[in-house]
Amino acid sequence: MALFNFKRASAPANPATATAPQLASFLQDYSIEVMPRTAEKVENFRDLLPQRTRVYVAHIEGTPIEEMVATAKRLNGEGFDVMPHFPARIIKDRATLADWIAQYQGEADVKQALLLGGGVATPHGDFDNSMQLMETGLFDGFDRLHIAGHPEGNRDIDRDGGDKLVMEALKWKQAFSERSDAKMALATQFCFESGPVIKWADRLASEGINIPIHIGVAGPAKLQTLIKFAIACGVGPSLRVLQKRAMDVTKLLLPYEPTDFVTELAAHKAKHPDFGIQSVHFFPLGGIKTNANWAIENGGNAAIPASQS
């Protein structure tokens, strides 16, 4: 089946846009994701990121834990709050999990963690999901525990395309958040269209799930790069945004920027202060420096690099 249908589309309605102060407010305390190999390309994160930015260290299957810990140690040394990934399905057993935590805490003073399933089909050991990680008690004493959110569903969990199992898991995690001392948030997969995200966030609120949402945003990147990552990560309905861009020959070769998506959400947040999205989490698919520069250009005082503040 072809990914794109190049038939002429009708003109969309004009999106709501945020003012500069609204956009800066929405980008306040944004977070960003890195991997050891991408972090190596950055000479000094303080020239790019605001003070105390939360930096997620993504654990890609096959990456030695020593490389993950070294990256976390460097980021901590430069003054950033480090949040490593703990993907349940690639962690062999409780002893391995305890060892990872001990290394992160001992070497990089880590007090925050993102707990997630892990995206591999067959678990490598005893763990299958993030709830099992929480139940070990090994994260007791962490300041923050973030979990994965899926605005467009997750077929690894709900294979029929629905959201029954995902919603059941979120309700379990809501209950966990109410009995835990750790601050919790939902860090979502990246999306490209604001309408489905707003609908999803409102749905969670109606179900009694009030864990703050940190919405995933794909940073500036080439269109073909975004398509590759979107397919690999299971991004669903909002791929239509990339489809529309592919139909516009004048934009086909230009880098994608998340400006429309973020400003629409910022405008909605300004109009509805109780809206569940609390923060932005960037996936720098086109490079960390490129993403940080976009934030600097659009975030005002919220994005001033640490070295300049």
Side-chain angles (χ1 to χ4, degrees), residues 190-207:
F190 57 86
C191 305
F192 299 103
E193 190 172 19
S194 62
V197 167
I198 292 170
K199 184 177 179 181
W200 174 77
D202 290 343
R203 163 88 187 285
L204 295 193
S206 72
E207 295 281 351

Side-chain angles (χ1 to χ4, degrees), residues 221-248:
K222 295 179 181 178
L223 183 60
Q224 56 266 41
T225 300
L226 286 180
I227 293 171
K228 179 183 73 173
F229 278 105
I231 293 173
C233 297
V235 172
S238 67
L239 265 172
R240 76 187 91 190
V241 173
L242 302 185
Q243 178 188 41
K244 184 171 69 174
R245 189 176 186 86
M247 290 190 297
D248 188 340

Side-chain angles (χ1 to χ4, degrees), residues 224-306:
Q224 56 266 41
T225 300
L226 286 180
I227 293 171
K228 179 183 73 173
F229 278 105
I231 293 173
C233 297
V235 172
S238 67
L239 265 172
R240 76 187 91 190
V241 173
L242 302 185
Q243 178 188 41
K244 184 171 69 174
R245 189 176 186 86
M247 290 190 297
D248 188 340
V249 177
T250 65
K251 295 181 179 179
L252 187 59
L253 300 180
L254 296 176
Y256 163 87
E257 293 187 346
T259 310
D260 288 347
F261 178 58
V262 175
T263 54
E264 289 166 24
L265 290 177
H268 187 81
K269 178 71 173 181
K271 188 175 180 180
H272 306 277
D274 294 333
F275 180 55
I277 292 181
Q278 180 187 73
S279 186
V280 167
H281 175 59
F282 283 113
F283 293 83
L285 304 182
I288 297 168
K289 185 175 181 179
T290 299
N291 199 145
N293 284 336
W294 181 91
I296 292 167
E297 292 168 3
N298 291 275
N301 291 337
I304 295 175

Side-chain angles (χ1 to χ4, degrees), residues 24-65:
S25 176
F26 194 64
L27 290 174
Q28 187 73 45
D29 299 324
Y30 77 80
S31 58
I32 194 166
E33 188 157 310
V34 305
M35 296 176 285
R37 63 178 178 81
T38 58
E40 287 176 355
K41 299 176 182 178
V42 178
E43 182 175 348
N44 188 344
F45 278 91
R46 291 180 60 81
D47 292 335
L48 299 175
L49 304 180
Q51 291 188 38
R52 308 311 312 180
T53 296
R54 180 176 299 109
V55 183
Y56 291 60
V57 180
H59 197 127
I60 307 302
E61 185 179 11
T63 304
I65 186 62

Side-chain angles (χ1 to χ4, degrees), residues 6-275:
F6 288 91
K7 294 180 180 179
R8 183 180 298 275
S10 58
N14 290 329
T17 57
T19 65
Q22 289 172 347
L23 183 56
S25 176
F26 194 64
L27 290 174
Q28 187 73 45
D29 299 324
Y30 77 80
S31 58
I32 194 166
E33 188 157 310
V34 305
M35 296 176 285
R37 63 178 178 81
T38 58
E40 287 176 355
K41 299 176 182 178
V42 178
E43 182 175 348
N44 188 344
F45 278 91
R46 291 180 60 81
D47 292 335
L48 299 175
L49 304 180
Q51 291 188 38
R52 308 311 312 180
T53 296
R54 180 176 299 109
V55 183
Y56 291 60
V57 180
H59 197 127
I60 307 302
E61 185 179 11
T63 304
I65 186 62
E66 292 78 13
E67 292 184 20
M68 312 299 300
V69 173
T71 302
K73 182 178 180 179
R74 176 201 168 180
L75 289 163
N76 178 69
E78 292 187 23
F80 299 103
D81 294 331
V82 185
M83 178 173 276
H85 288 199
F86 287 86
R89 293 177 198 143
I90 71 170
I91 300 173
K92 181 180 178 182
D93 51 30
R94 180 187 173 92
T96 301
L97 176 60
D99 177 61
W100 286 17
I101 292 173
Q103 290 191 55
Y104 275 123
Q105 290 183 324
E107 296 289 328
D109 194 29
V110 164
K111 298 173 181 151
Q112 309 183 23
L114 172 66
L115 311 182
L116 65 166
V120 298
T122 303
H124 293 186
D126 296 341
F127 301 114
D128 179 64
N129 57 66
S130 60
M131 293 177 286
Q132 293 170 338
L133 298 182
M134 294 179 197
E135 288 178 324
T136 65
L138 293 172
F139 292 97
D140 291 354
F142 272 58
D143 294 340
R144 276 189 169 272
L145 293 177
H146 288 190
I147 52 180
H150 307 281
E152 299 183 352
N154 185 338
R155 285 189 175 271
D156 288 340
I157 300 173
D158 285 287
R159 299 185 184 279
D160 62 357
D163 65 2
K164 180 178 181 293
L165 297 179
V166 166
M167 290 301 296
E168 288 177 357
L170 283 177
K171 290 178 180 178
W172 186 97
K173 293 167 185 175
Q174 173 68 35
F176 181 89
S177 74
E178 293 168 1
R179 64 179 184 267
S180 171
D181 292 332
K183 294 180 180 179
M184 293 186 65
L186 281 168
T188 82
Q189 184 53 274
F190 57 86
C191 305
F192 299 103
E193 190 172 19
S194 62
V197 167
I198 292 170
K199 184 177 179 181
W200 174 77
D202 290 343
R203 163 88 187 285
L204 295 193
S206 72
E207 295 281 351
I209 298 166
N210 58 21
I211 301 172
I213 299 166
H214 293 195
I215 189 66
V217 175
K222 295 179 181 178
L223 183 60
Q224 56 266 41
T225 300
L226 286 180
I227 293 171
K228 179 183 73 173
F229 278 105
I231 293 173
C233 297
V235 172
S238 67
L239 265 172
R240 76 187 91 190
V241 173
L242 302 185
Q243 178 188 41
K244 184 171 69 174
R245 189 176 186 86
M247 290 190 297
D248 188 340
V249 177
T250 65
K251 295 181 179 179
L252 187 59
L253 300 180
L254 296 176
Y256 163 87
E257 293 187 346
T259 310
D260 288 347
F261 178 58
V262 175
T263 54
E264 289 166 24
L265 290 177
H268 187 81
K269 178 71 173 181
K271 188 175 180 180
H272 306 277
D274 294 333
F275 180 55

Side-chain angles (χ1 to χ4, degrees), residues 3 58 119 243 308:
L3 176 63
Q243 178 188 41
Q308 299 177 23

